[in-house]
Amino acid sequence: MNAKRKICQMEKVLKAAVFMAGIVLIGACGSPGDGAKSTPKLVLSPCSLEIEEQREFAELGALCGRYEVWEDRETEKGRRISLNVVVIPALARAKPDPVFMLAGGPGQAATEVPWMRMPWVKKLRRYRDIVLVDQRGTGASNPLDLILPDEKLSFKEMFRTGERDPEVEDLIKSFDADLTKYTTDIAMDDLDEVRDALGYDRINIYGGSYGTRAALVYLRRHEEMVRSLVLDGVAPMEMKIVDAFAEDGERAIGLLLSHCENDQGCGKAFPNLREKLHELISGLEKKPARVQLKHPRTGAPVTVTVHVETIRMTLFSALYDTQRTALIPLAVERAHGGDFSVFGALMEMASGNSEMISTGMQKAVLCNEDLALLDEDAESDESDRSVFSRSHMVSSFNEYCDCFRGAPKLASYFDPVVSDVPALVLSGELDPVTPPRWGEIASKNLKNSRHVVVPGTGHGVSGSGCVSDMIVTHIENASPAEIETECLDKIKRFPVFLTNTGPIATEKR
């Protein structure tokens, strides 16, 4: 789909065709939005095969369009932002309530997530439109991208840490945007304006990761428009994003170490792994390691300096995904002996996942919301054996915030969202960033909700086993009580890699 976006180094380690003649108005004369209660104002046209960003949507018979909103919604003066909107029409006569998909990050564009490769989205599309709106600052909605020269995005540069880059500051200053106007609440008012312009009345919302925060903000501001809600990997309002990363990451790495100790194959291949990880972290805190690695793609030798914070952030990123998590024991074992090649591979994987993030938008959200109220020097429960450091996490994300920050949100912005809207709340048992405790907190205030914890799964569970069917059932019926969870017993942790060649399972999956 969209060309991969190059992003600033500070985030590197942390993510046939059907055409219709003429112009199409959603909601008109039996078209995909049939049943909507208002006349649509947003003009959509068949997506083009000639435009790279639209090609995949064109093959789905999707409709594309632009919708302008005020950058400053309060004063309605100054700059206008053109939002990128895509509607993937229902295959049959559409039910009136579509599904709006809210992406993560913050900084990921809804149109750049491969939603239609997900079985549950395909099932929902049978009778409901799928609506994608790039949140302001992402994708093709006035993106706030930090694009650096290729030489600053090399494998070697991934290992640099702790240096503020004046080129990044220059890029930030070059944005054609008021960086204080790209917060979640403003963006969710954009979304509601687009909903109205498309002629839809009530909608269903799926939010993943940061998309859950966005969904909750939309729910609080426009509750009467929400028919049902799916929250996957929940960041409730009570959670100060970044503040709990170290604590939740510590829990996730602890679960992995315990699993390895109790697993015959892992325990035998990597004895005393917990102690080796501690020695690796403490050793690098005292003195960075100067090592030679093979570039994971070219095979060329590269000499780098490995800092402790590089290892910490690589571990934290790997814990998001259970398949990458399966490489951590091998990475620690090898690095403890001086071989950082597996860590290098994990860093390369992390950089690939990050290339679709609009880093400037991410900063605009975090710096003006969660980070604005945090005390960077606050005491934490870290011990000298902690793998992750709260102070480092906060200071790392706080970097360049002085270029973005306006007036902080009032403390009341982070009050719980209380609602009776039917909600399915999903958590991954092994999630390092939005673990089950946050899903439980969100569920308590969503009075008509069901909290489901998916075993053996990390961050984002919609693709795990039978969870796909749960999502479809919930959106079809808007009744969390009807969700059946017995099938979750079949989901197990991905087996640990014992060698470079792959995992050797020690139990049936």
Side-chain angles (χ1 to χ4, degrees), residues 155 159 291-295 299-304 306 339-344:
F155 179 68
F159 290 85
V291 302
Q292 187 177 82
L293 300 177
K294 288 184 178 181
H295 192 291
V302 180
T303 300
V304 299
V306 180
D339 176 6
F340 287 85
S341 60
V342 182
F343 267 109

mmCIF file of all heavy atoms in Angstrom, residues 155 159 291-295 299-304 306 339-344:
data_model
loop_
_atom_site.group_PDB
_atom_site.id
_atom_site.type_symbol
_atom_site.label_atom_id
_atom_site.label_comp_id
_atom_site.label_asym_id
_atom_site.label_seq_id
_atom_site.Cartn_x
_atom_site.Cartn_y
_atom_site.Cartn_z
ATOM 1 N N PHE A 155 21.565 0.592 9.673
ATOM 2 C CA PHE A 155 21.619 -0.366 10.778
ATOM 3 C C PHE A 155 22.551 0.136 11.880
ATOM 4 O O PHE A 155 22.245 0.060 13.064
ATOM 5 C CB PHE A 155 22.091 -1.720 10.242
ATOM 6 C CG PHE A 155 22.208 -2.797 11.291
ATOM 7 C CD1 PHE A 155 21.070 -3.307 11.904
ATOM 8 C CD2 PHE A 155 23.440 -3.314 11.649
ATOM 9 C CE1 PHE A 155 21.172 -4.306 12.859
ATOM 10 C CE2 PHE A 155 23.541 -4.306 12.603
ATOM 11 C CZ PHE A 155 22.405 -4.806 13.207
ATOM 12 N N PHE A 159 22.033 1.940 16.756
ATOM 13 C CA PHE A 159 22.687 1.736 18.042
ATOM 14 C C PHE A 159 23.078 3.041 18.720
ATOM 15 O O PHE A 159 23.564 3.040 19.850
ATOM 16 C CB PHE A 159 23.933 0.844 17.859
ATOM 17 C CG PHE A 159 23.601 -0.574 17.532
ATOM 18 C CD1 PHE A 159 23.362 -0.973 16.236
ATOM 19 C CD2 PHE A 159 23.507 -1.524 18.545
ATOM 20 C CE1 PHE A 159 23.043 -2.293 15.929
ATOM 21 C CE2 PHE A 159 23.188 -2.839 18.254
ATOM 22 C CZ PHE A 159 22.956 -3.225 16.943
ATOM 23 N N VAL A 291 31.219 -3.963 19.590
ATOM 24 C CA VAL A 291 31.169 -5.278 18.951
ATOM 25 C C VAL A 291 31.028 -5.133 17.445
ATOM 26 O O VAL A 291 30.649 -4.071 16.933
ATOM 27 C CB VAL A 291 29.985 -6.127 19.480
ATOM 28 C CG1 VAL A 291 30.080 -6.302 20.994
ATOM 29 C CG2 VAL A 291 28.651 -5.493 19.105
ATOM 30 N N GLN A 292 31.343 -6.239 16.755
ATOM 31 C CA GLN A 292 31.137 -6.292 15.302
ATOM 32 C C GLN A 292 29.983 -7.242 15.004
ATOM 33 O O GLN A 292 29.942 -8.363 15.502
ATOM 34 C CB GLN A 292 32.391 -6.757 14.578
ATOM 35 C CG GLN A 292 32.263 -6.656 13.054
ATOM 36 C CD GLN A 292 33.541 -7.041 12.319
ATOM 37 O OE1 GLN A 292 33.804 -8.211 12.103
ATOM 38 N NE2 GLN A 292 34.335 -6.035 11.942
ATOM 39 N N LEU A 293 29.017 -6.767 14.217
ATOM 40 C CA LEU A 293 27.861 -7.569 13.829
ATOM 41 C C LEU A 293 27.792 -7.682 12.325
ATOM 42 O O LEU A 293 28.350 -6.854 11.594
ATOM 43 C CB LEU A 293 26.566 -6.911 14.335
ATOM 44 C CG LEU A 293 26.407 -6.702 15.838
ATOM 45 C CD1 LEU A 293 25.099 -5.965 16.105
ATOM 46 C CD2 LEU A 293 26.437 -8.033 16.568
ATOM 47 N N LYS A 294 27.068 -8.700 11.865
ATOM 48 C CA LYS A 294 26.733 -8.775 10.453
ATOM 49 C C LYS A 294 25.404 -8.071 10.246
ATOM 50 O O LYS A 294 24.462 -8.277 11.002
ATOM 51 C CB LYS A 294 26.621 -10.241 9.999
ATOM 52 C CG LYS A 294 27.947 -10.963 9.906
ATOM 53 C CD LYS A 294 27.740 -12.368 9.354
ATOM 54 C CE LYS A 294 29.081 -13.088 9.207
ATOM 55 N NZ LYS A 294 28.902 -14.465 8.651
ATOM 56 N N HIS A 295 25.353 -7.223 9.237
ATOM 57 C CA HIS A 295 24.091 -6.573 8.920
ATOM 58 C C HIS A 295 23.058 -7.645 8.625
ATOM 59 O O HIS A 295 23.317 -8.575 7.845
ATOM 60 C CB HIS A 295 24.260 -5.662 7.701
ATOM 61 C CG HIS A 295 23.118 -4.740 7.471
ATOM 62 N ND1 HIS A 295 21.875 -5.179 7.056
ATOM 63 C CD2 HIS A 295 23.019 -3.389 7.608
ATOM 64 C CE1 HIS A 295 21.066 -4.155 6.935
ATOM 65 N NE2 HIS A 295 21.720 -3.052 7.268
ATOM 66 N N GLY A 299 24.536 -8.790 5.303
ATOM 67 C CA GLY A 299 25.607 -9.681 5.744
ATOM 68 C C GLY A 299 26.941 -8.985 5.905
ATOM 69 O O GLY A 299 27.925 -9.608 6.338
ATOM 70 N N ALA A 300 27.016 -7.700 5.577
ATOM 71 C CA ALA A 300 28.272 -6.957 5.694
ATOM 72 C C ALA A 300 28.602 -6.705 7.169
ATOM 73 O O ALA A 300 27.706 -6.464 7.985
ATOM 74 C CB ALA A 300 28.147 -5.629 4.962
ATOM 75 N N PRO A 301 29.899 -6.761 7.537
ATOM 76 C CA PRO A 301 30.279 -6.501 8.937
ATOM 77 C C PRO A 301 30.083 -5.032 9.307
ATOM 78 O O PRO A 301 30.405 -4.134 8.527
ATOM 79 C CB PRO A 301 31.757 -6.896 8.980
ATOM 80 C CG PRO A 301 32.231 -6.756 7.565
ATOM 81 C CD PRO A 301 31.058 -7.096 6.696
ATOM 82 N N VAL A 302 29.548 -4.798 10.490
ATOM 83 C CA VAL A 302 29.309 -3.444 10.987
ATOM 84 C C VAL A 302 29.782 -3.375 12.437
ATOM 85 O O VAL A 302 29.418 -4.226 13.257
ATOM 86 C CB VAL A 302 27.808 -3.073 10.931
ATOM 87 C CG1 VAL A 302 27.591 -1.666 11.445
ATOM 88 C CG2 VAL A 302 27.270 -3.218 9.521
ATOM 89 N N THR A 303 30.607 -2.401 12.769
ATOM 90 C CA THR A 303 31.075 -2.215 14.143
ATOM 91 C C THR A 303 30.178 -1.200 14.841
ATOM 92 O O THR A 303 29.975 -0.087 14.334
ATOM 93 C CB THR A 303 32.538 -1.743 14.168
ATOM 94 O OG1 THR A 303 33.361 -2.720 13.521
ATOM 95 C CG2 THR A 303 33.015 -1.563 15.607
ATOM 96 N N VAL A 304 29.638 -1.590 15.997
ATOM 97 C CA VAL A 304 28.694 -0.735 16.725
ATOM 98 C C VAL A 304 29.019 -0.727 18.203
ATOM 99 O O VAL A 304 29.710 -1.615 18.714
ATOM 100 C CB VAL A 304 27.236 -1.217 16.526
ATOM 101 C CG1 VAL A 304 26.838 -1.179 15.062
ATOM 102 C CG2 VAL A 304 27.044 -2.618 17.097
ATOM 103 N N VAL A 306 27.111 -1.010 21.738
ATOM 104 C CA VAL A 306 25.840 -1.453 22.307
ATOM 105 C C VAL A 306 25.675 -0.839 23.695
ATOM 106 O O VAL A 306 26.436 -1.149 24.615
ATOM 107 C CB VAL A 306 25.766 -2.991 22.397
ATOM 108 C CG1 VAL A 306 24.427 -3.419 22.982
ATOM 109 C CG2 VAL A 306 25.977 -3.624 21.027
ATOM 110 N N ASP A 339 27.984 -12.227 21.952
ATOM 111 C CA ASP A 339 27.449 -12.243 20.594
ATOM 112 C C ASP A 339 26.086 -11.540 20.572
ATOM 113 O O ASP A 339 25.100 -12.074 21.082
ATOM 114 C CB ASP A 339 27.318 -13.693 20.114
ATOM 115 C CG ASP A 339 26.685 -13.811 18.736
ATOM 116 O OD1 ASP A 339 26.442 -12.772 18.092
ATOM 117 O OD2 ASP A 339 26.415 -14.950 18.302
ATOM 118 N N PHE A 340 26.029 -10.341 19.987
ATOM 119 C CA PHE A 340 24.793 -9.541 19.968
ATOM 120 C C PHE A 340 24.043 -9.660 18.640
ATOM 121 O O PHE A 340 23.194 -8.829 18.334
ATOM 122 C CB PHE A 340 25.126 -8.071 20.248
ATOM 123 C CG PHE A 340 25.498 -7.797 21.678
ATOM 124 C CD1 PHE A 340 26.791 -7.985 22.126
ATOM 125 C CD2 PHE A 340 24.538 -7.361 22.591
ATOM 126 C CE1 PHE A 340 27.143 -7.744 23.446
ATOM 127 C CE2 PHE A 340 24.871 -7.112 23.912
ATOM 128 C CZ PHE A 340 26.175 -7.303 24.347
ATOM 129 N N SER A 341 24.330 -10.694 17.864
ATOM 130 C CA SER A 341 23.732 -10.803 16.532
ATOM 131 C C SER A 341 22.218 -10.986 16.583
ATOM 132 O O SER A 341 21.493 -10.431 15.739
ATOM 133 C CB SER A 341 24.379 -11.956 15.754
ATOM 134 O OG SER A 341 24.202 -13.192 16.436
ATOM 135 N N VAL A 342 21.722 -11.762 17.546
ATOM 136 C CA VAL A 342 20.280 -11.970 17.629
ATOM 137 C C VAL A 342 19.589 -10.677 18.048
ATOM 138 O O VAL A 342 18.506 -10.344 17.551
ATOM 139 C CB VAL A 342 19.928 -13.126 18.582
ATOM 140 C CG1 VAL A 342 18.412 -13.351 18.625
ATOM 141 C CG2 VAL A 342 20.627 -14.412 18.151
ATOM 142 N N PHE A 343 20.221 -9.931 18.939
ATOM 143 C CA PHE A 343 19.667 -8.617 19.296
ATOM 144 C C PHE A 343 19.632 -7.702 18.075
ATOM 145 O O PHE A 343 18.690 -6.926 17.889
ATOM 146 C CB PHE A 343 20.482 -7.971 20.413
ATOM 147 C CG PHE A 343 19.942 -8.250 21.780
ATOM 148 C CD1 PHE A 343 20.622 -9.089 22.646
ATOM 149 C CD2 PHE A 343 18.746 -7.695 22.205
ATOM 150 C CE1 PHE A 343 20.115 -9.367 23.915
ATOM 151 C CE2 PHE A 343 18.235 -7.960 23.457
ATOM 152 C CZ PHE A 343 18.919 -8.795 24.320
ATOM 153 N N GLY A 344 20.660 -7.798 17.232
ATOM 154 C CA GLY A 344 20.670 -6.995 16.008
ATOM 155 C C GLY A 344 19.500 -7.326 15.107
ATOM 156 O O GLY A 344 18.861 -6.433 14.538
#
